[in-house]
């Protein structure tokens, strides 16, 4: 089933229009507190490759690079990618991090990554695309790699952001393919929404 949502029909144009209009209420202007929750749990060593899909302006990308990780930020809209590239250059992090403009449902890394920090990409996709995206996340990771997922809770129908109910997420990321390892609590948003945080390990 194909979604008729505008972001599904032409995601680059849809999200670029949001940036052009300055309609980026999801952007905190700094790394999310969810990132620190993950870093307190993970045993990834410096040098591990981390993907940040749907990164937007990508505040988490330089934050991870400065911790010694190799980082690739992905976004479908050109404006945030250009902004992130300029920020990485300003901070001298080009050797450790990159920003790539791409449709997440079409992209594959050159080699499987060690981890994925999934904060805003899943909830931005129409639910009709979730299964394809979840499979893409699994294929991006090496066996034993970890997915830190921030499941958006809106308490309403429609979106984006779309409500990522935990039972639906458990079905989307089944135990056949994932080990649900850690409950990392929740992160509140200024708009009344919140994320529930879970660390999953790819089988």
């Amino acid at each position: 089933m194909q979604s008729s949502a505008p972001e599904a029909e032409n995601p680059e144009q849809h999200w670029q229009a949001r940036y052009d209009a300055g309609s980026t209420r999801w952007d905190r202007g700094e790394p999310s507190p969810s990132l620190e929750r993950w870093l307190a749990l993970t045993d990834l060593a410096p040098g591990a490759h981390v993907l940040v899909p749907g990164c937007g302006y990508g505040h988490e990308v330089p934050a991870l690079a400065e911790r010694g990780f190799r980082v690739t930020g992905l976004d479908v809209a050109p404006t945030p990618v250009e902004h992130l590239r300029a920020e990485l250059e300003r901070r001298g992090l080009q050797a450790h991090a990159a920003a790539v403009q791409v449709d997440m449902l079409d992209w594959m890394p050159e080699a499987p990554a060690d981890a994925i920090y999934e904060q805003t990409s899943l909830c931005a996709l129409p639910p009709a695309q979730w299964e394809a995206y979840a499979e893409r996340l699994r294929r991006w990771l090496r066996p034993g790699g970890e997915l830190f997922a921030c499941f958006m809770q809106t308490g309403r129908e429609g979106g984006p952001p779309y409500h990522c109910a935990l039972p639906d997420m458990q079905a989307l990321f089944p135990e056949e393919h994932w080990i649900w390892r850690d409950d990392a609590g929740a992160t509140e948003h200024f708009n009344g929404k919140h994320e529930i945080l879970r660390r999953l390990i790819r089988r």
Side-chain angles (χ1 to χ4, degrees), residues 134-145:
E135 176 59 20
R136 187 68 49 160
L137 292 175
R138 190 174 74 88
R139 293 173 60 193
W140 289 351
L141 279 175
R142 62 169 174 79

Side-chain angles (χ1 to χ4, degrees), residues 43-190:
D43 54 4
L44 285 174
H49 185 201
V50 181
L51 303 178
V52 185
C55 65
Y57 287 127
H59 308 292
E60 290 75 19
V61 174
L64 285 165
E66 289 175 341
R67 303 270 187 127
F69 297 106
R70 294 181 296 116
V71 195
T72 302
L74 310 170
D75 204 276
V76 71
T79 287
V81 170
E82 292 166 4
H83 178 278
L84 178 54
R85 287 172 178 165
E87 181 66 10
L88 293 173
E89 181 176 2
R90 185 184 72 82
R91 295 164 74 162
L93 295 171
Q94 307 97 308
H96 307 283
V100 180
Q101 184 193 346
V102 68
D103 185 329
M104 261 62 71
L105 296 178
D106 292 334
W107 182 81
M108 284 293 293
E110 293 182 2
D114 299 300
I116 299 171
Y117 177 76
E118 163 42 61
Q119 179 174 296
T120 57
S121 190
L122 177 65
C123 68
L125 290 171
Q129 296 182 340
W130 284 359
E131 187 172 340
Y133 180 61
E135 176 59 20
R136 187 68 49 160
L137 292 175
R138 190 174 74 88
R139 293 173 60 193
W140 289 351
L141 279 175
R142 62 169 174 79
E146 61 186 79
L147 169 66
F148 189 77
C150 307
F151 295 130
M152 178 63 71
Q153 306 297 294
T154 70
R156 60 175 175 80
E157 294 185 2
Y162 293 95
H163 182 62
C164 300
L166 188 56
D168 294 339
M169 298 301 97
Q170 290 168 331
L172 190 64
F173 299 97
E175 292 187 0
E176 174 186 1
H177 298 308
W178 301 91
I179 301 168
W180 286 64
R181 179 63 56 79
D182 294 296
D183 177 345
T187 296
E188 299 294 331
H189 286 255
F190 58 84

